[in-house]
Amino acid sequence: MKTTVHALLFDVFGTVVNWRGSLIASLESFGEKNGLKADWPALVDAWRAEAYGPLMDEIRERTLPWTPLDDLHRVALEELLPQYGLVGLTKAEVDWIHRLWHRLDPWPDAVPGLTRLKQGYSISALSNGNVAMLVNMARHGGLPWDMVFGADLFNHYKPDAECYLGACTLLGLEPERVMLCAAHNNDLQAASELGLRTAFIQRPLEKGPKGPIEQPADGWDLVASDLQDLADQLGMKTTTHEDEP
């Protein structure tokens, strides 16, 4: 594998960062601090579903003009807040909630796993997030990307072919020399159909401890329990304190 694959692309939401758990924890803390009560998990799930559902579909179908994910999140949030009894918030408070997507926490294995993988491959984010969001998220969580490919570089959202092929072109590599690593079968399927290699990363807690678990479909090049396991399968040595300068 290492002789043919030169670059790894990573889906971010769910694969590298715990978007749902991070948002719920931050909103629960916000509610406690401000004396607000709401069904925070339901709000988070609805927020994600609205932005990634009808709004993004309309952009893919070109019934809406290109709009970055930050703006889709804002539209969805302002529609959902009153539905969950959150009225009378200041603009600064709504802005703070909106920007939570820039401060998502990585899964515990993400930073050490990516650091190991970077020994042998270029590692890049390939996300439906916009570049500013991904850069801020990387700084917040210490994600050691070589490059972030946001959807706003291509004016397309995954699984549109322009995202995967655009990233390969900018890396100067043919698709078969690039591997997409993701926790979602539809993402990997779109990449595979374009000639990219594929690695399914298992994230059983993405939708919460009681949520549905996405199982890997057949046909992926690799299936890994997390990013440390992916590094093991790709032959990357384990980083120890002795390796550090």
Side-chain angles (χ1 to χ4, degrees):
M1 185 71 66
K2 190 174 185 300
T3 59
T4 59
V5 172
H6 291 186
L8 305 177
L9 299 174
F10 290 84
D11 170 63
V12 175
F13 299 113
T15 302
V16 176
V17 300
N18 179 6
W19 64 270
R20 187 177 187 273
S22 298
L23 291 174
I24 292 171
S26 294
L27 288 170
E28 287 177 343
S29 177
F30 172 79
E32 290 174 6
K33 179 180 177 181
N34 294 280
L36 297 171
K37 293 184 178 181
D39 187 341
W40 302 115
L43 171 58
V44 166
D45 290 337
W47 194 4
R48 166 86 171 192
E50 179 68 19
Y52 271 73
L55 290 175
M56 200 172 282
D57 286 343
E58 289 184 54
I59 291 171
R60 290 194 187 97
E61 295 163 3
R62 294 300 191 251
T63 56
L64 275 182
W66 167 256
T67 307
L69 186 57
D70 250 340
D71 294 346
L72 296 186
H73 281 157
R74 185 66 181 225
V75 170
L77 178 64
E78 292 183 351
E79 290 180 354
L80 289 168
L81 287 175
Q83 297 178 30
Y84 286 84
L86 298 166
V87 296
L89 297 180
T90 66
K91 181 180 182 301
E93 289 171 330
V94 177
D95 288 344
W96 184 87
I97 295 172
H98 173 228
R99 296 277 294 184
L100 287 176
W101 289 93
H102 292 235
R103 302 187 294 274
L104 303 177
D105 295 327
W107 295 107
D109 59 275
V111 172
L114 290 172
T115 301
R116 289 177 62 200
L117 290 162
K118 192 170 180 173
Q119 298 172 28
Y121 303 88
S122 74
I123 60 168
S124 304
L126 179 63
S127 173
N128 282 336
N130 42 287
V131 170
M133 180 191 298
L134 296 171
V135 169
N136 291 335
M137 198 185 308
R139 288 176 60 82
H140 169 78
L143 301 171
W145 300 126
D146 292 309
M147 176 66 182
V148 293
F149 293 108
D152 50 334
L153 291 178
F154 313 113
N155 284 5
H156 280 270
Y157 285 116
K158 295 188 295 179
D160 289 357
E162 287 83 354
C163 298
Y164 310 97
L165 297 180
C168 293
T169 297
L170 289 172
L171 289 171
L173 295 170
E174 294 298 318
E176 61 266 23
R177 295 190 178 275
V178 179
M179 173 178 280
L180 178 69
C181 309
H184 310 113
N185 288 299
N186 64 334
D187 201 359
L188 294 172
Q189 182 63 39
S192 177
E193 291 174 358
L194 297 168
L196 283 76
R197 307 296 290 271
T198 52
F200 186 94
I201 312 301
Q202 296 173 315
R203 293 299 185 197
L205 295 178
E206 180 185 1
K207 302 295 178 61
K210 297 180 180 180
I213 298 174
E214 184 162 359
Q215 300 292 345
D218 294 332
W220 310 139
D221 294 297
L222 297 174
V223 174
S225 60
D226 60 21
L227 296 188
Q228 291 276 40
D229 182 36
L230 180 64
D232 289 340
Q233 293 190 46
L234 290 175
M236 297 296 97
K237 69 177 182 178
T238 302
T239 300
T240 67
H241 292 297
E242 294 178 357
D243 298 321
E244 296 174 357

